[in-house]
Amino acid sequence: MRRLMLILVLALQECLAAHAQMMARVELPWKEDVRNYLVIPMGEEGMLMATISDKSSDGRRTLRLSHYDTDLLLVKSDSTQLDRSMDFDEYLYDDGRCLVVLREMGRVLLGPRKVIGDDIAIVTYIPSTREMGVVNGKYPENASMGILSAGNGIMAFNSVKRYFGYIGMVDLSTGEGQVLDPGISGGRRKECYVLRTMVVGDEVLSLVRTKKGTHLVRFDRQGVRKSCVNLTPDITQRLLTASFSEKDGSLLVTGTFTNHKKKTYDQGIYFGRIDGDRLAFIRFYNFLDLQHFTEYMSSKGQKKVERRKERAERKGKELVVNKLVTSHGLMEHGGAYYYVGEAYFPTYITTSTGFSTVTVFDGYKYTHAVLVKFDADGNLLWDNCFPMDPTFKPMRVIHFLAAGFDGKNVNALYPDRRLLVSKLFSDTDGTVVQDKQKEVMETGDEDEDVKKAKDTETAYWHGDNFLVHGTQIVKNNATGERRKVIFINKYTIE
């Protein structure tokens, strides 16, 4: 009997330990035919892979769209020719339509800056009909494109030009774009930051922060400003980041905030609702009030923070910590709303050469993640924070973590070079149900090993399925041959 029980326990442990399984894989040879690529999850419609050819002919490159189903089987492949200067900029999948924006990329200036021309191409793909379309247009040169929002024949986004924030808008039928000035009193050269832009019906809505507060600015679809309302004239906290979604005629907004009047370090998260031109409510939550927020620190560091927090409370004050946190978009599931953020800090390398010392940027180090569940009134239902320690330090701020739902659990995973870290949280109270620290991102062939992986990213797909993609060097143990590939793995949380 004891032997039988031991066998059952070991079998259960093995089952729990292997809860993230690779179900399918797609490979492309790296740098043989592909110059750059995008992987775009389209939910239960499958996945779209966009590639630009490495070699050009007659000043043109081939853009190819490959539509795969949820088993990563090829559904359709289509292509078009674009000018050789065009490269990927932004993309959006929303309401059964995928938009891929390419722009004219010119020479590299000093540092990471590039000269961006005014030529753009908007590629549309409809997965239900498997139709592809291309519209060529113009958008002001060297004006950036932020997170896209589209509807009613227009596309809108945050835009930065010459270090100042604007609202960008493009007509999807003609491809013609323009930058819109928020036009808020206080002057362009003072504090004026566009936090987020969204297309709602016939309007473009934008949240803009100035020294006087956070404003809701409305434009019509021709780019004419209709109204501007200060939502937070009596609120001392400053909103630093924002993402919002439309729900029953209202806007739900979340992001990070600070209590500091000038500095832009994140000190907590917020959740609010906008009804028309009125802020119905907004609730703020200090990072230090969240569970396990300091767990990534050493035990000595955690105790130091606790002592400082206790001293501040005895004096009737609130202790805050200054962090850099990149926020994901607001997620909705089962009538509740979820905030996901990832904390990071910049790292530097200092070297001495003769009589001079040189300090250079060495990428961003990620430390931990924040997961919070809210109800529709902004009340915090549960929260959890957990350490992240990817060895890869990106040179730009990215999202390592991908999160999704399977009904009773919140699933989260992130890559660490050739390894995968995954966690399952109870949707009832946020406790960790399963925690698999490392799983090798295999190729599906027992005779092969992944020797190196680079630029690995994750994306939530649908249900309990995730996509993991990047580049790998794979070795065949039988032949000793190595190959460098672009890979896309489908993982299912079981």
Side-chain angles (χ1 to χ4, degrees):
M1 185 65 179
R2 291 182 178 177
R3 180 180 178 83
L4 177 59
M5 288 298 294
L6 178 61
I7 292 174
L8 290 175
V9 170
L10 291 176
L12 178 60
Q13 289 178 343
E14 182 178 357
C15 179
L16 290 177
H19 69 271
Q21 298 295 322
M22 192 189 81
M23 308 301 292
R25 179 179 172 92
V26 172
E27 280 190 13
L28 289 178
W30 174 246
K31 286 298 185 184
E32 288 188 12
D33 300 311
V34 178
R35 178 191 184 194
N36 203 355
Y37 75 98
L38 286 177
V39 173
I40 306 173
M42 300 189 297
E44 295 186 357
E45 292 286 355
M47 179 272 293
L48 190 69
M49 186 174 191
T51 61
I52 297 178
S53 64
D54 185 47
K55 297 179 180 179
S56 62
S57 176
D58 298 326
R60 314 282 285 177
R61 296 186 192 273
T62 300
L63 169 72
R64 181 172 298 278
L65 299 185
S66 300
H67 179 188
Y68 294 87
D69 65 15
T70 54
D71 293 320
L72 291 187
L73 299 176
L74 185 63
V75 174
K76 184 181 180 180
S77 182
D78 205 346
S79 63
T80 187
Q81 297 292 310
L82 297 174
D83 187 89
R84 63 179 298 172
S85 66
M86 304 296 279
D87 205 347
F88 296 122
D89 194 0
E90 287 287 341
Y91 70 87
L92 169 71
Y93 177 72
D94 185 35
D95 196 25
R97 173 184 59 180
C98 190
L99 298 176
V100 180
V101 181
L102 300 97
R103 304 188 65 185
E104 176 189 356
M105 301 296 182
R107 67 186 186 279
V108 178
L109 296 177
L110 292 176
R113 288 190 59 204
K114 285 184 177 181
V115 174
I116 303 176
D118 61 356
D119 288 336
I120 65 172
I122 304 171
V123 182
T124 303
Y125 183 76
I126 311 296
S128 59
T129 61
R130 302 172 188 175
E131 295 178 345
M132 171 181 169
V134 182
V135 174
N136 295 301
K138 298 286 185 180
Y139 186 71
E141 64 180 13
N142 294 328
S144 68
M145 288 186 175
I147 298 175
L148 305 181
S149 176
N152 197 30
I154 55 175
M155 181 174 67
F157 42 87
N158 294 3
S159 186
V160 176
K161 185 175 182 180
R162 295 178 182 173
Y163 305 104
F164 298 116
Y166 297 90
I167 294 94
M169 187 165 65
V170 175
D171 188 314
L172 292 175
S173 61
T174 65
E176 295 303 311
Q178 57 181 319
V179 292
L180 311 175
D181 194 321
I184 299 175
S185 175
R188 159 84 23 219
R189 298 189 179 276
K190 296 184 179 180
E191 181 182 350
C192 185
Y193 298 96
V194 180
L195 301 180
R196 186 56 61 93
T197 299
M198 183 178 182
V199 178
V200 179
D202 290 331
E203 296 181 321
V204 173
L205 308 183
S206 189
L207 287 179
V208 182
R209 186 187 77 240
T210 70
K211 287 187 176 181
K212 296 181 180 180
T214 298
H215 305 254
L216 178 64
V217 187
R218 296 177 181 268
F219 296 88
D220 65 18
R221 66 185 321 277
Q222 281 74 42
V224 178
R225 198 181 82 158
K226 298 173 62 177
S227 65
C228 176
V229 179
N230 189 348
L231 298 173
T232 61
D234 302 319
I235 295 176
T236 58
Q237 294 90 341
R238 296 167 60 230
L239 308 188
L240 295 182
T241 62
S243 65
F244 49 40
S245 62
E246 184 186 20
K247 184 68 175 181
D248 299 329
S250 298
L251 295 177
L252 299 176
V253 57
T254 188
T256 58
F257 75 93
T258 183
N259 291 290
H260 203 281
K261 293 182 179 180
K262 293 184 179 180
K263 295 182 179 179
T264 55
Y265 287 105
D266 303 300
Q267 296 179 339
I269 62 175
Y270 67 90
F271 187 97
R273 190 184 79 223
I274 303 170
D275 295 337
D277 288 334
R278 180 181 66 89
L279 181 64
F281 69 82
I282 187 167
R283 293 185 171 86
F284 298 94
Y285 299 92
N286 188 330
F287 281 145
L288 292 180
D289 291 335
L290 304 180
Q291 296 187 69
H292 314 302
F293 187 82
T294 60
E295 192 174 293
Y296 75 98
M297 299 180 178
S298 65
S299 58
K300 183 178 180 181
Q302 293 181 53
K303 292 178 181 178
K304 183 178 179 180
V305 172
E306 286 299 320
R307 289 194 298 269
R308 291 177 57 203
K309 185 177 180 182
E310 291 173 359
R311 286 198 298 267
E313 290 174 349
R314 286 196 297 267
K315 296 178 181 179
K317 298 181 180 180
E318 182 183 40
L319 180 67
V320 295
V321 291
N322 296 323
K323 295 294 178 183
L324 295 174
V325 176
T326 175
S327 300
H328 294 228
L330 182 63
M331 301 189 301
E332 179 183 0
H333 177 70
Y337 300 89
Y338 300 79
Y339 169 87
V340 178
E342 302 175 47
Y344 65 94
F345 64 90
T347 63
Y348 301 89
I349 293 178
T350 301
T351 57
S352 296
T353 56
F355 296 100
S356 63
T357 300
V358 179
T359 300
V360 295
F361 177 61
D362 191 42
Y364 293 105
K365 175 62 178 175
Y366 283 64
T367 57
H368 59 297
V370 179
L371 177 62
V372 182
K373 180 180 180 180
F374 298 101
D375 65 15
D377 294 321
N379 298 307
L380 192 151
L381 300 178
W382 56 254
D383 62 272
N384 208 329
C385 303
F386 53 95
M388 293 175 60
D389 190 25
T391 54
F392 172 56
K393 294 192 295 184
M395 302 303 287
R396 58 184 177 87
V397 177
I398 66 172
H399 289 164
F400 275 98
L401 193 70
F405 311 94
D406 66 2
K408 59 182 179 180
N409 293 321
V410 182
N411 306 324
L413 57 82
Y414 69 91
D416 185 5
R417 295 191 184 271
R418 68 186 187 93
L419 304 173
L420 196 66
V421 181
S422 54
K423 291 178 180 287
L424 270 69
F425 302 86
S426 169
D427 195 29
T428 304
D429 57 11
T431 57
V432 177
V433 178
Q434 292 182 7
D435 186 357
K436 183 65 176 177
Q437 293 299 322
K438 294 187 183 296
E439 295 185 7
V440 176
M441 290 191 290
E442 66 273 29
T443 68
D445 189 333
E446 294 182 354
D447 293 330
E448 293 182 335
D449 288 330
V450 177
K451 294 301 181 182
K452 292 183 180 180
K454 186 180 179 182
D455 301 327
T456 306
E457 297 185 25
T458 60
Y460 174 67
W461 196 359
H462 66 96
D464 52 5
N465 299 292
F466 292 79
L467 291 173
V468 180
H469 60 89
T471 60
Q472 291 177 340
I473 294 179
V474 179
K475 179 182 178 181
N476 187 303
N477 296 322
T479 64
E481 295 180 353
R482 293 177 180 238
R483 66 180 188 278
K484 187 173 183 179
V485 298
I486 300 170
F487 76 97
I488 308 171
N489 285 358
K490 172 188 174 181
Y491 278 89
T492 299
I493 306 294
E494 298 179 342

